[in-house]
Amino acid sequence: MLHLLHRQRVVHLLRTEGPLARADLADRLGLSRPSITAIVGELIDDGTLIELDDRVEGPGYRGRPRKLLGCNPQARRVLGIWIDERRARIALADATGNISREEETPTAGRTPASVIRSIIRIGKQVIEEATDSSVAAAGICLPGFVDSTRGFVIESKALGWSEVELGKPVSDALGVPTAVQDTTQAMTLAETIAGEAREVRSAVLLNCGGHFNVGLIIGGRPYPGASGVAGAIGHMPVAGSQAKCACGRIGCVNAGMSLHAMQSVAPHTEGMPLKEIDLDAVAQETARNPHSQKIIGDVIDQMARTAILIEAVLDPEILILSGLITEFEELIVALEARIEEIRPPERRGRTTTVRSQIGRDYRVAVIVALQQLDPDIAGLLHTPSP
């Protein structure tokens, strides 16, 4: 698996900062020259990378000019599909991850079957119109309890879906392998390949938004657990909590450790999508209200304490703060500060807290889809074949 991740990191580096020579790749990724030579050879052979006409040389340069490497944008294309409470977004991307087309369909108030039909209709249209290159795979991300081995949605409280077969109908209709992952697991995979965890052996990702879940990276690879749902703690009960969760139960983690748990400080925002709330305006309104500040402070405190507990269990190199909270500066700063404040003395200096730079949208689904292009990784993701 580590070799496969190195392959993906080579592609990502060239995708974001290329073209580069082999020696540059070795230096940037901390790999030996023979390792880079072998990896690059594999990627050229399967059509993912190409050697460019440009060569590295210039004043003061001695020796033979070095050939530059780049991603082959015409190799294969993928569909990245991100489903949330409001809409499903379908993005067409080339093998380098560059998105050339985006479509969407609403999800709110619709049945799973209706949403799936719309995704298939749009997907077919996009595939038919992608005349310059074939579409080779799809990746679907959605919040919930997902069995990625079967592409099966066991439960998604956010979407109101239960016992929904998703991967197979999409794969069968579009004629391409289709991976289905919970958004937190998908974000963890993205961080491992292209984000803050690409150069570490162990990490914990906290997905803090409308829900609160955990992603694990152990031994340099995402750890999905025995059945693929490791870290899905959002609807686990918290002892003593009387907070009502959106799922209808009392005391869930999400009820006390999510941005939704803060909405009671601004009743006029109840029911509004978090993306549509002006948190700066809410912050100004609640700044002089001690009760509101206590609610916000309590939620931040519970998030931080949970983070420290998980950190103590796994002893990771980095703790990645991810999800919607990273888009609201005041809240993410408060969470970072609280984590540092309550971190026990014996744990200080052992784990570094960082913010995700990847975000949470269809680009993560594209990364999930791109992994299907490598048959070994596709097998690890349990991708169904059409």
Side-chain angles (χ1 to χ4, degrees):
M1 177 64 174
L2 192 56
H3 176 73
L4 301 177
L5 290 175
H6 286 325
R7 284 170 53 103
Q8 298 303 315
R9 287 163 182 157
V10 166
V11 174
H12 176 72
L13 187 58
L14 288 170
R15 180 190 306 157
T16 55
E17 301 183 33
L20 296 168
R22 289 170 175 79
D24 298 324
L25 290 170
D27 292 341
R28 297 285 291 277
L29 296 174
L31 298 174
S32 68
R33 302 294 171 89
S35 293
I36 283 293
T37 298
I39 291 170
V40 166
E42 292 173 7
L43 293 169
I44 290 176
D45 288 343
D46 68 21
T48 302
L49 300 185
I50 54 175
E51 288 188 323
L52 305 175
D53 291 336
D54 298 330
R55 294 167 177 258
V56 178
E57 55 185 324
Y61 182 84
R62 302 179 64 184
R64 295 176 58 189
R66 296 178 296 169
K67 289 185 178 181
L68 293 178
L69 299 163
C71 292
N72 180 3
Q74 301 304 318
R76 285 162 291 188
R77 295 184 182 274
V78 297
L79 291 179
I81 303 166
W82 181 277
I83 306 175
D84 61 28
E85 300 92 325
R86 292 191 294 161
R87 58 190 175 179
R89 287 175 285 183
I90 300 95
L92 176 68
D94 62 27
T96 69
N98 295 316
I99 294 169
S100 58
R101 180 172 175 179
E102 302 169 27
E103 303 287 345
E104 66 178 59
T105 184
T107 57
R110 298 176 64 190
T111 65
S114 173
V115 173
I116 293 170
R117 284 196 299 269
S118 293
I119 289 172
I120 289 172
R121 174 181 55 79
I122 294 171
K124 283 183 175 180
Q125 181 180 358
V126 169
I127 288 174
E128 289 171 1
E129 296 176 0
T131 56
D132 55 344
S133 183
S134 62
V135 173
I140 305 177
C141 303
L142 73 161
F145 207 68
V146 176
D147 182 346
S148 59
T149 63
R150 296 185 294 149
F152 195 83
V153 182
I154 299 169
E155 190 81 34
S156 174
K157 301 294 185 182
L159 299 178
W161 292 14
S162 179
E163 300 295 315
V164 175
E165 189 172 38
L166 179 57
K168 189 175 187 303
V170 173
S171 180
D172 289 346
L174 300 184
V176 296
T178 302
V180 181
Q181 286 197 318
D182 159 62
T183 52
T184 303
Q185 295 280 8
M187 290 160 69
T188 304
L189 175 66
E191 291 291 342
T192 305
I193 292 169
E196 298 296 329
R198 64 188 181 276
E199 297 179 359
V200 303
R201 297 285 295 169
S202 59
V204 169
L205 176 140
L206 295 187
N207 183 9
C208 310
H211 55 276
F212 187 94
N213 281 315
V214 178
L216 307 174
I217 296 167
I218 299 174
R221 58 178 290 181
Y223 177 73
S227 62
V229 294
I233 66 172
H235 294 286
M236 296 296 105
V238 176
S241 173
Q242 295 301 310
K244 185 175 181 179
C245 183
C247 73
R249 295 187 296 211
I250 301 296
C252 292
V253 167
N254 286 345
M257 302 184 208
S258 69
L259 297 188
H260 279 304
M262 299 182 187
Q263 281 193 273
S264 62
V265 306
H268 62 283
T269 68
E270 293 283 356
M272 288 177 60
L274 291 169
K275 278 276 194 179
E276 296 179 4
I277 298 174
D278 185 343
L279 282 192
D280 291 333
V282 171
Q284 292 178 10
E285 294 170 10
T286 60
R288 298 181 181 178
N289 184 326
H291 178 66
S292 296
Q293 290 301 303
K294 184 178 186 306
I295 291 175
I296 295 172
D298 286 347
V299 173
I300 292 293
D301 182 69
Q302 290 184 68
M303 287 181 177
R305 290 185 182 280
T306 301
I308 291 297
L309 178 60
I310 296 169
E311 176 186 297
V313 172
L314 291 175
D315 188 27
E317 295 172 60
I318 60 172
L319 173 67
I320 306 170
L321 303 183
S322 185
L324 189 57
I325 195 171
T326 62
E327 299 178 25
F328 302 111
E329 185 68 16
E330 185 172 337
L331 294 180
I332 190 66
V333 167
L335 179 56
E336 289 169 333
R338 187 58 178 154
I339 288 172
E340 293 303 320
E341 181 181 359
I342 65 174
R343 183 174 275 140
E346 62 272 17
R347 286 223 44 87
R348 289 175 187 162
R350 298 182 182 277
T351 297
T352 302
T353 304
V354 298
R355 298 187 197 181
S356 171
Q357 302 300 316
I358 289 181
R360 50 176 297 281
D361 59 21
Y362 52 81
R363 286 167 292 190
V364 173
V366 167
I367 290 177
V368 171
L370 284 169
Q371 305 323 299
Q372 305 305 295
L373 303 188
D374 188 313
D376 294 318
I377 292 183
L380 289 167
L381 293 179
H382 307 287
T383 308
S385 297

